[in-house]
Amino acid sequence: MDISIHEAQQVEQEGRRFTAAAILAAIVVIASSWFGLFVFLGANSAHGTLQDLREAWIPDVESMTLDLPNLSRLSSVFTADGVLLGQLTERNSQPTPFDEIPNLVIGAVLSAEDEDFMEHSGVDYQAVARALIEDLSGGPKQGGSTITQQVVKQNFVGSESTLRRKVAEATIAIELERRFTKEQILEYYLNSVYFGSNAYGITAAAQEYFGKNLDELTIAEAAALPVPIRNPSLYDLRNDSEIPRRARDAVIDNMVQEGYITAAEGLAAKAGPIATVVHEEFIDLAPQVLIAARDTILNDARFGLGATYLQRKRALFGCPADDSECAGGGGLKVYTTVDFALQEEARRILQEWFPPGTGLPTGAIAMVDNRTGATLVMASGLDFGTDIEAGQRQYDLATKGRRNPGSAFKPFGLVAALEQGIPLNSFWDYSTPQILDFGGLEPWECHNAGTNAPGIRSLEEALYLSTNTVFCQVSIAVGPENIVDVAHRMGIKSPLGAVPAIVLGAQAVSPLEMASAYSTIANYGLRTENYLIERIEDSEGNIVYQHQVESTQVLEPALSAATLRTMEKVISIGTGGRAYIGRPQFGKTGTHEAYRDAWYVGGIPQVTTAVWVGYPDAQVEMRNLTIKGEFVARMTGGSIPAPIWKEFMEIVVADMPVEDFPANPSGFETYYATPRVEMPDVIGLDFDDAVEDLLKVGLDAGIKLVNSDEPEGTVVASDPGPRERVRQGTEVELEVSNGLSPTVVLPNLLGLSQAQAHQQLTQLRDGSRVAFTWVFDEVSTSVASDDGLVQAMVPGPGSVIDENTQVVVTVWRYSP
């Protein structure tokens, strides 16, 4: 096979766009294996001309876009107060400008990978020839690829083992050297090549393996760095075998030969082993926020970064160095809503209350801006990481830690009740336990946190005193599905099962969701959509995305105001007194069954904050704990979460003006109406049964014992009487038999008129229900003024009579 320079020049004369050097490079590469030579000869014989060969195998490089990806375009994430949280990347990549890379390091890489890099034009013909000779002689397979060819393979042609790819690689390598300087190509290579252990680029490799900056590396360390490039597994620098050490020593010998170091320096460098450091994970500021920002963008098309997950991923992270089909991406500046200073304060407070690794529970704090919906804080008491024993976790408790909110979910039940016309002054039986039939296989047995005597409690009192048995009845009365609807309308995003116990927090939610939903109450029913991403800018500062506040009126304003006023009493006279911060505020405590989760969620006009306390990996009972010197027999929302909320909020409001909630809207009083009910007929019932009937309709019971022939404990009368309309909350007086025969004591009728005597006896009979009788007798008198007055009575005054008694009353009659 003989192709002359004259034939190559003819190609140029024919107007083709390929250089003689490119064609020669392609030929040399094809001839670098016996199989390649066979195919080449066959192709030349079949086509007969160089023109056919060129068109079949050599790409049209001048029409190609040969741009090197901009590796410095990593997307950055910032907080609302301008703190750089970190950079979003799927790999450890820390691009470094060429003029900041020490000559020692450059010399080590060139000595290992391409010692003639500065002399060749993209293809090292001598290296290819050496590799061909080794192959033909049966020696070990040699690599002839230059650094430029490696860049081409990474970015333009891939690594497919075909002759066509090899031809394209060589041709494009020569064209790349025509378009870019040696420094530009080498800078890209040093910053993009993979060194193993997730380290991309020379700077990342130096920190990964030696924990040093490039200018701190020794000769031995610099020589070791390029060793893993060819095979990161075989030449793993952390491998104790002789394989990576022999490869390092070979690099040192080449560095001596090329004049980068002296022979003495080389000898000293080879004396010691490869001393690497232990792999360490990156430590970012507020990594939970960084991860939340990343996930938010990747899982939502609203940010204008692509319709699909893969498109958004490329826009955010840029392209991996080994993806030849990918170009562009990255370089974004993502601005979040998080206040870093408050985020750090929340984390500090949580770790002071629950030091990691001590066996105590932990906590989470989430805070939102009521007027915009912005997430201001999403802090966890645990550090981010994989060391479980040290108290690290790889998820955020504030946004991903979905737990049972206990009684903190009761406000959603309250809202559902108000929407269905059940007012705050409706009264409920709060006896414990309540056995409730809700249509399930078994009745629902609902208990209060402690024991209490039978009685009634208003819906308002039941909220701020956190009375379970009332809200269990409310859940059945309004329908659990309507409580679910209210919660979702107000801002809860988690799926919720429509079970009666949902009103007691039987379904799991996150602290951020609870803060967002409660902010709807602060806004008098106006829900502002919770968000984390404020804006996104591209690498040139153009705004790609700017958040717009989204608000929807989901609750009637007067209803929301009535709910808020009730929740203000949680702090003033209810279960949340330890959260008091001396300004207008509302809130609610929450304690899940068996003290496994404890909450306090509350707010002021400007912000709403949720505090959760519990164990991170399982719902463990929190009993008999000592926290900050305080013995906690049982963890409740009012015991520890409330004071944590107070401590954090006192920092939040330090420079915040005191504001009050708006005035109560029109129609506010409607929600405080007291319903009327029909007085049940309880006469003839046992007293306990009568009380139960009264409590069921929201009436209280008082007792008056009376003599009666009815069995002891039987109700013989009531006031109000049966079927009268009466307001809930009224105390009904029940007359209850004491088991004694009914008797009465006669009053003194002497000197009264006949009419007055008759009236008193009638009142005595009707009032005592002792059916005695009486008659009037007459005697003459000569005193006119005595006419018609009682002269005598038998039995006499003070006598005890019963229903068999007849009282004889003697009256004077004037006879002149």
Side-chain angles (χ1 to χ4, degrees):
M1 178 177 64
D2 185 17
I3 299 176
S4 68
I5 298 299
H6 174 70
E7 288 177 302
Q9 291 172 341
Q10 282 184 330
V11 175
E12 291 182 334
Q13 294 170 359
E14 291 171 2
R16 309 306 295 179
R17 294 184 296 272
F18 304 106
T19 65
I23 295 172
L24 181 59
I27 293 172
V28 172
V29 171
I30 294 173
S32 65
S33 70
W34 283 109
F35 179 69
L37 181 62
F38 171 78
V39 173
F40 180 83
L41 291 173
N44 190 43
S45 174
H47 295 286
T49 67
L50 183 60
Q51 172 78 9
D52 295 333
L53 176 65
R54 185 197 64 248
E55 291 181 351
W57 293 93
I58 302 177
D60 185 358
V61 291
E62 291 198 2
S63 66
M64 297 176 64
T65 300
L66 300 178
D67 293 330
L68 295 175
N70 185 354
L71 294 177
S72 65
R73 295 174 62 191
L74 299 176
S75 294
S76 303
V77 179
F78 298 86
T79 61
D81 44 349
V83 176
L84 174 63
L85 293 180
Q87 293 180 316
L88 294 176
T89 176
E90 292 184 303
R91 61 193 189 185
N92 178 5
S93 176
Q94 303 173 53
T96 303
F98 183 78
D99 57 6
E100 295 180 13
I101 302 175
N103 289 332
L104 176 67
V105 175
I106 294 173
V109 174
L110 294 181
S111 297
E113 291 296 309
D114 190 354
E115 58 192 26
D116 296 324
F117 175 74
M118 292 299 180
E119 284 74 39
H120 63 64
S121 58
V123 177
D124 188 342
Y125 309 118
Q126 293 181 350
V128 172
R130 287 195 301 269
L132 175 62
I133 293 172
E134 290 294 337
D135 288 350
L136 295 178
S137 64
K141 193 171 183 63
Q142 299 290 311
S145 294
T146 64
I147 284 177
T148 309
Q149 286 177 278
Q150 292 182 51
V151 170
V152 169
K153 181 167 67 173
Q154 287 177 345
N155 294 279
F156 305 111
V157 299
S159 57
E160 183 183 8
S161 184
T162 64
L163 292 174
R164 187 180 299 276
R165 198 272 301 165
K166 292 180 179 180
V167 171
E169 178 187 298
T171 307
I172 294 172
I174 294 172
E175 179 64 19
L176 203 66
E177 295 244 0
R178 188 177 70 83
R179 297 190 189 186
F180 295 94
T181 66
K182 288 286 187 180
E183 288 77 10
Q184 288 174 319
I185 295 172
L186 186 55
E187 177 181 336
Y188 176 79
Y189 176 79
L190 290 172
N191 283 310
S192 65
V193 69
Y194 182 52
F195 287 82
S197 294
N198 198 37
Y200 289 80
I202 195 75
T203 299
Q207 294 184 359
E208 169 64 28
Y209 291 114
F210 301 112
K212 295 182 177 181
N213 296 323
L214 292 176
D215 58 1
E216 299 172 328
L217 295 174
T218 66
I219 293 174
E221 291 166 344
L225 273 186
V227 167
I229 291 176
R230 293 290 170 143
N231 190 326
S233 298
L234 179 63
Y235 297 105
D236 183 355
L237 296 184
R238 293 190 173 100
N239 187 341
D240 290 335
S241 73
E242 285 296 311
I243 295 176
R245 180 169 179 173
R246 285 198 300 266
R248 180 207 62 179
D249 292 349
V251 173
I252 293 173
D253 291 340
N254 285 347
M255 293 176 69
V256 172
Q257 183 177 344
E258 296 297 322
Y260 292 112
I261 58 176
T262 65
E265 289 173 328
L267 188 62
K270 291 194 292 184
I274 300 176
T276 59
V277 297
V278 177
H279 171 76
E280 292 185 2
E281 296 292 337
F282 281 109
I283 300 177
D284 295 308
L285 296 176
Q288 294 94 333
V289 179
L290 195 68
I291 292 169
R294 177 198 69 189
D295 292 348
T296 299
I297 294 172
L298 289 178
N299 291 299
D300 198 329
R302 77 170 69 183
F303 301 105
L305 300 180
T308 68
Y309 180 90
L310 291 178
Q311 289 172 337
R312 296 189 291 271
K313 182 178 179 182
R314 192 180 80 177
L316 189 61
F317 291 109
C319 302
D322 58 354
D323 187 347
S324 60
E325 302 297 324
C326 177
L332 302 177
K333 290 184 177 180
V334 178
Y335 293 89
T336 70
T337 59
V338 169
D339 185 312
F340 183 74
L342 291 179
Q343 174 82 9
E344 286 298 286
E345 287 290 351
R347 178 174 172 271
R348 176 189 63 78
I349 289 170
L350 289 170
Q351 293 196 346
E352 285 181 358
W353 282 84
F354 313 111
T358 60
L360 289 173
T362 187
I365 296 176
M367 184 170 73
V368 301
D369 186 310
N370 294 336
R371 289 162 182 140
T372 66
T375 298
L376 301 178
V377 171
M378 41 179 290
S380 169
L382 299 180
D383 291 328
F384 188 84
T386 58
D387 191 341
I388 303 298
E389 292 183 0
Q392 296 179 344
R393 296 296 185 278
Q394 287 188 294
Y395 59 89
D396 175 38
L397 294 172
T399 60
K400 305 296 184 183
R402 295 173 59 246
R403 291 300 179 86
N404 299 93
S407 294
F409 221 73
K410 285 174 181 170
F412 303 119
L414 178 69
V415 169
L418 296 178
E419 287 187 334
Q420 294 191 26
I422 301 173
L424 290 165
N425 276 344
S426 60
F427 282 81
W428 303 74
D429 177 7
Y430 80 107
S431 307
T432 187
Q434 289 281 328
I435 309 300
L436 305 171
D437 186 1
F438 64 98
L441 296 178
E442 297 289 339
W444 180 23
E445 186 171 321
C446 176
H447 293 260
N448 288 328
T451 60
N452 56 267
I456 57 173
R457 183 164 282 176
S458 72
L459 183 59
E460 181 186 41
E461 292 174 317
L463 191 284
Y464 65 72
L465 295 176
S466 203
T467 310
N468 291 346
T469 53
V470 171
F471 276 91
C472 291
Q473 296 170 76
V474 167
S475 182
I476 293 175
V478 304
E481 67 280 0
N482 292 310
I483 298 175
V484 170
D485 174 63
V486 166
H488 282 156
R489 274 190 282 137
M490 290 176 62
I492 297 296
K493 304 295 185 183
S494 294
L496 301 172
V499 297
I502 188 173
V503 78
L504 302 183
Q507 303 291 298
V509 293
S510 73
L512 182 59
E513 287 179 288
M514 290 294 286
S516 178
Y518 270 45
S519 73
T520 301
I521 299 172
N523 292 335
Y524 282 8
L526 187 70
R527 184 190 70 208
T528 53
E529 293 296 333
N530 175 240
Y531 71 102
L532 177 63
I533 307 301
E534 188 64 53
R535 77 178 182 279
I536 301 174
E537 297 177 1
D538 64 18
S539 58
E540 298 178 356
N542 301 310
I543 295 178
V544 176
Y545 170 81
Q546 176 66 58
H547 179 79
Q548 301 296 321
V549 174
E550 302 174 37
S551 299
T552 307
Q553 193 73 41
V554 297
L555 303 179
E556 200 272 326
L559 181 152
S560 301
T563 302
L564 184 140
R565 299 305 177 194
T566 302
M567 295 175 70
E568 286 180 322
K569 295 181 179 179
V570 171
I571 297 95
S572 60
I573 54 176
T575 59
R578 297 187 74 182
Y580 179 65
I581 58 174
R583 59 168 61 202
Q585 64 183 110
F586 73 103
K588 183 68 186 76
T589 55
T591 307
H592 185 48
E593 184 178 357
Y595 313 101
R596 294 186 177 97
D597 295 286
W599 297 68
Y600 184 83
V601 187
I604 60 175
Q606 296 97 320
V607 297
T608 300
T609 301
V611 174
W612 166 82
V613 171
Y615 284 91
D617 303 317
Q619 290 182 308
V620 179
E621 292 188 17
M622 293 181 285
R623 297 175 183 265
N624 302 322
L625 302 173
T626 300
I627 299 173
K628 291 187 73 172
E630 177 182 348
F631 178 74
V632 181
R634 295 178 297 275
M635 179 72 72
T636 65
S639 65
I640 297 299
I644 290 176
W645 187 94
K646 171 185 171 71
E647 182 178 343
F648 175 66
M649 286 298 294
E650 286 177 338
I651 296 172
V652 172
V653 303
D655 298 317
M656 192 176 287
V658 176
E659 293 184 15
D660 202 351
F661 294 102
N664 297 327
S666 176
F668 173 80
E669 297 79 8
T670 304
Y671 298 100
Y672 286 87
T674 303
R676 289 182 178 271
V677 294
E678 183 179 274
M679 172 65 194
D681 185 357
V682 296
I683 297 175
L685 297 181
D686 179 79
F687 174 74
D688 290 339
D689 293 336
V691 170
E692 185 176 336
D693 283 358
L694 292 176
L695 296 180
K696 284 180 180 177
V697 296
L699 298 174
D700 210 348
I703 185 171
K704 178 182 179 182
L705 295 175
V706 297
N707 295 344
S708 171
D709 289 334
E710 296 294 330
E712 183 179 2
T714 303
V715 176
V716 296
S718 67
D719 183 23
R723 290 175 294 281
E724 288 189 42
R725 299 292 295 179
V726 61
R727 293 184 185 277
Q728 284 190 324
T730 298
E731 181 177 283
V732 176
E733 183 180 84
L734 298 179
E735 293 189 8
V736 180
S737 171
N738 59 12
L740 301 176
S741 297
T743 60
V744 295
V745 177
L746 278 174
N748 185 4
L749 303 176
L750 299 177
L752 299 178
S753 68
Q754 182 176 343
Q756 290 173 329
H758 179 75
Q759 182 182 16
Q760 283 205 15
L761 291 172
T762 300
Q763 290 176 344
L764 181 61
R765 180 194 62 193
D766 294 344
S768 66
R769 293 182 176 81
V770 177
F772 64 93
T773 61
W774 62 90
V775 295
F776 287 97
D777 196 7
E778 296 179 354
V779 295
S780 296
T781 180
S782 60
V783 181
S785 59
D786 289 340
D787 185 55
L789 301 179
V790 176
Q791 180 266 340
M793 55 184 290
V794 178
S799 299
V800 177
I801 63 174
D802 57 27
E803 60 184 6
N804 299 314
T805 302
Q806 184 179 62
V807 179
V808 178
V809 181
T810 303
V811 180
W812 295 105
R813 283 299 172 211
Y814 173 64
S815 177

